[in-house]
Amino acid sequence: MANKLWHGRFKKGTHPLLEKFSESLSYDRELARVDIRGSLAHAAMLARVKLIAASDLASIKRGLAQVEKEIAGGTFVYRAADEDIHMAIEARLTAIAGEPAKRLHTARSRNDQVATDLRLWLRDKIAGLQKLLRRTQAAAVAVADREKELVIPGYTHLQRAQPVLLAQHLLAYVEMWERDFDRLADANRRVNFLPLGACALAGTTLPIDREFVAQELGFAGLCANSMDAVSDRDFVIETLAALAILFVHLSRLSEDLILWASSEWRLIKLDDAWSTGSSIMPQKRNPDFLELTRGKTGAIFGALTTLLTIMKGLPLTYNRDLQEDKTPLFGAVATAELTLTCFAEFIPTLFFDKKRAAAMLADGFLEATALAEYLVEKKTPFRDAHRISGELVRIAEDTDRRLADLSLEEMQAVSPAIGPDLLPRLNPQTLPNAYRSAGSAGTVEVKKSLARWKKKLGR
Ligand code: ARG
């Protein structure tokens, strides 16, 4: 008969297949450290309200310190029969500390224990992800600053649209990451409440002090309803939703960079250290890092969908289904950590082919909108201005010229409002100097954005 902490009411041992099927120890060891942190606070509280003796607390503390050491040192023996990390630690603690260890689970259930562990774990992870986001932002701001003069074609519908500063394109992602940062902070505001003391679902008849535990563990407050405390994982869903949106952003940046590095664009050449070769085509320089980021986005969305699906239709309160929250969450967080760490290292290696950028600007009538706006300044109604600019584009296109190559007479034949002062507006290279609306992609506003970001990121 297997030696289980809950075996009291059973006559037969667990079927080995069920043991294999239901264990979580192979992955929830990720929670070992926070589980010990939670137990220490719980034990301190039990001693404080005199549910255990001061000497019990001392033995538990000593025992848990040893367990922690064994786990950190890799000597801790994980036995599948222990089911999960909570049981594994308690079993080992009991072997070390004896009688006092058997009092630790007073006024506690694995239901409130695992919810507490998960919140403690997530709180730390969110703080770490936020730091990584800051590093990624700083890397992008540094490149934007280094390349602040560079003008590239901006696109809509993947068609060349208007000239923009490259810095504006990079800073667009810095803005997105700022909202990702805020979404994580906001999720964390709801992560940071203490479930412990909810026990299995109903609370307890014992005189526990939840406020004390919350303070010990640095929680902002208590989960106010015991049944809610043990059964919801909305805080996991919120974090995964924030990560899913973060990966939408990382995946779009990846796509932009894949295009820029493509043989057709040739705007960037990927650094050797961040390119991969082909096993058959010797000339290849592949953007696998970026493709993998785009690909890993699928698993992050999958984690969010998994959690939503697990929770849907789950009756109150705790059900074992909830154990399945862990692999998707741990996987998504680990992927996010690694991906952001890579981006923070990779972004500074981005260098741009200035000649290629200039050649792309020369082609595609990127100055046509500015021409229409020039006419608006000359009091032409915008709809007419749009048509006139379009007609001039057609004339230039038909004769294989650029707008700046048309003679003043040719242009005045289409609109008498056009004067020689139009010419500087027809140079896509200098056009961004003329953008003046707040937040626009030109020299004046981008300079302000760069200054704002450098200040914010302390660079
Ligand atoms: N390993 C379980 C989980 O992750 C811990 C809680 C188990 N509770 C229970 N009543 N079986 O959810």
Side-chain angles (χ1 to χ4, degrees):
M1 165 119 195
N3 163 34
K4 297 232 191 296
L5 293 172
W6 43 255
H7 77 267
R9 53 107 62 231
F10 293 95
K11 288 209 187 103
K12 276 210 275 185
T14 315
H15 195 293
L17 276 175
L18 175 56
E19 216 164 75
K20 187 179 159 87
F21 193 76
S22 61
E23 69 84 25
S24 53
L25 191 52
S26 52
Y27 49 88
D28 67 8
R29 58 183 71 176
E30 175 76 28
L31 298 175
R33 294 186 59 170
V34 288
D35 193 73
I36 291 171
R37 238 206 280 174
S39 285
L40 284 170
H42 183 67
M45 182 277 290
L46 292 176
R48 188 182 153 88
V49 301
K50 310 227 169 342
L51 282 166
I52 63 173
S55 57
D56 291 330
L57 173 61
S59 312
I60 290 172
K61 273 182 164 171
R62 243 179 293 121
L64 283 174
Q66 185 178 328
V67 173
E68 183 146 43
K69 228 166 104 190
E70 290 176 7
I71 289 173
T75 58
F76 189 89
V77 184
Y78 295 95
R79 296 181 312 147
D82 281 333
E83 243 182 67
D84 59 27
I85 190 64
H86 324 293
M87 298 287 223
I89 289 176
E90 194 184 327
R92 180 67 190 131
L93 177 67
T94 309
I96 297 167
E99 196 67 18
K102 287 163 46 187
R103 300 185 187 276
L104 173 60
H105 210 53
T106 306
R108 187 175 75 171
S109 151
R110 275 185 294 159
N111 300 351
D112 58 345
Q113 189 178 356
V114 72
T116 303
D117 288 4
L118 215 50
R119 286 171 185 263
L120 283 171
W121 183 88
L122 209 43
R123 212 173 61 181
D124 289 351
K125 288 295 180 181
I126 286 176
L129 286 167
Q130 287 182 305
K131 278 209 189 88
L132 287 171
L133 269 169
R134 285 280 179 258
R135 275 174 52 194
T136 310
Q137 285 180 308
V141 168
V143 175
D145 196 35
R146 182 203 334 126
E147 308 288 347
K148 56 179 167 295
E149 318 267 281
L150 181 60
V151 183
I152 61 168
Y155 289 73
T156 64
H157 313 275
L158 220 48
Q159 310 277 326
R160 284 182 207 169
Q162 289 181 280
V164 295
L165 286 181
L166 164 79
Q168 178 82 341
H169 195 126
L170 294 177
L171 291 177
Y173 286 100
V174 176
E175 298 283 347
M176 296 178 219
W177 291 327
E178 187 62 18
R179 294 192 296 277
D180 293 326
F181 185 98
D182 285 347
R183 265 184 286 274
L184 285 172
D186 189 53
N188 194 50
R189 282 202 307 122
R190 284 176 291 278
V191 167
N192 202 19
F193 283 85
L194 175 77
L196 210 63
C199 304
L201 77 160
T204 174
T205 56
L206 297 168
I208 60 171
D209 182 351
R210 295 185 64 210
E211 289 287 357
F212 175 81
V213 179
Q215 269 188 13
E216 284 285 286
L217 295 174
F219 282 108
L222 307 179
C223 295
N225 180 306
S226 61
M227 296 176 76
D228 174 38
V230 294
S231 72
D232 207 353
R233 294 291 183 268
D234 55 355
F235 63 96
V236 176
I237 295 177
E238 283 192 55
T239 307
L240 288 174
L243 292 185
I245 298 172
L246 163 65
F247 268 79
V248 170
H249 297 152
L250 291 174
S251 161
R252 294 187 73 182
L253 174 59
S254 298
E255 178 62 14
D256 277 343
L257 297 174
I258 288 167
L259 289 173
W260 289 357
S262 70
S263 325
E264 324 310 319
W265 237 273
R266 287 176 278 116
L267 183 61
I268 55 174
K269 185 170 147 203
L270 290 180
D271 189 75
D272 278 4
W274 289 94
S275 314
T276 36
S278 155
S279 59
I280 173 166
M281 298 166 284
Q283 85 282 15
K284 291 299 277 297
R285 171 185 285 279
N286 291 332
D288 290 22
F289 163 58
L290 301 165
E291 292 169 356
L292 283 165
T293 299
R294 210 172 45 184
K296 285 175 194 290
T297 302
I300 306 285
F301 293 3
L304 172 60
T305 308
T306 302
L307 255 291
L308 286 168
T309 312
I310 288 172
M311 296 311 296
K312 178 189 173 299
L314 201 64
L316 293 192
T317 55
Y318 180 86
N319 298 269
R320 193 65 179 274
D321 314 40
L322 291 176
Q323 179 167 294
E324 297 291 320
D325 61 358
K326 285 172 203 62
T327 21
L329 176 64
F330 295 167
V333 168
T335 300
E337 286 172 341
L338 181 57
T339 310
L340 286 174
T341 306
C342 287
F343 266 98
E345 286 287 311
F346 163 77
I347 288 172
T349 70
L350 287 174
F351 284 91
F352 297 81
D353 183 336
K354 312 252 146 82
K355 272 200 199 134
R356 179 66 189 143
M360 292 173 100
L361 279 181
D363 199 19
F365 301 104
L366 291 137
E367 60 283 16
T369 308
L371 196 165
E373 286 177 354
Y374 165 89
L375 286 167
V376 168
E377 281 173 33
K378 302 286 175 198
K379 307 291 174 235
T380 309
F382 180 74
R383 273 296 151 228
D384 296 333
H386 183 281
R387 178 184 43 76
I388 292 162
S389 178
E391 275 176 38
L392 290 171
V393 165
R394 185 171 42 73
I395 294 170
E397 199 168 38
D398 287 351
T399 52
D400 215 9
R401 286 178 297 170
R402 298 161 53 178
L403 284 174
D405 299 331
L406 301 183
S407 70
L408 191 57
E409 295 70 44
E410 274 178 296
M411 292 199 275
Q412 283 172 337
V414 181
S415 166
I418 293 176
D421 57 338
L422 170 64
L423 208 58
R425 295 290 176 91
L426 297 185
N427 181 356
Q429 204 60 250
T430 54
L431 190 51
N433 296 333
Y435 296 156
R436 52 164 91 178
S437 57
S440 51
T443 322
V444 178
E445 289 296 309
V446 168
K447 195 172 162 192
K448 281 191 213 160
S449 295
L450 273 173
R452 174 168 55 85
W453 280 114
K454 284 200 283 189
K455 184 159 172 235
K456 171 148 186 142
L457 300 169
R459 302 283 146 163

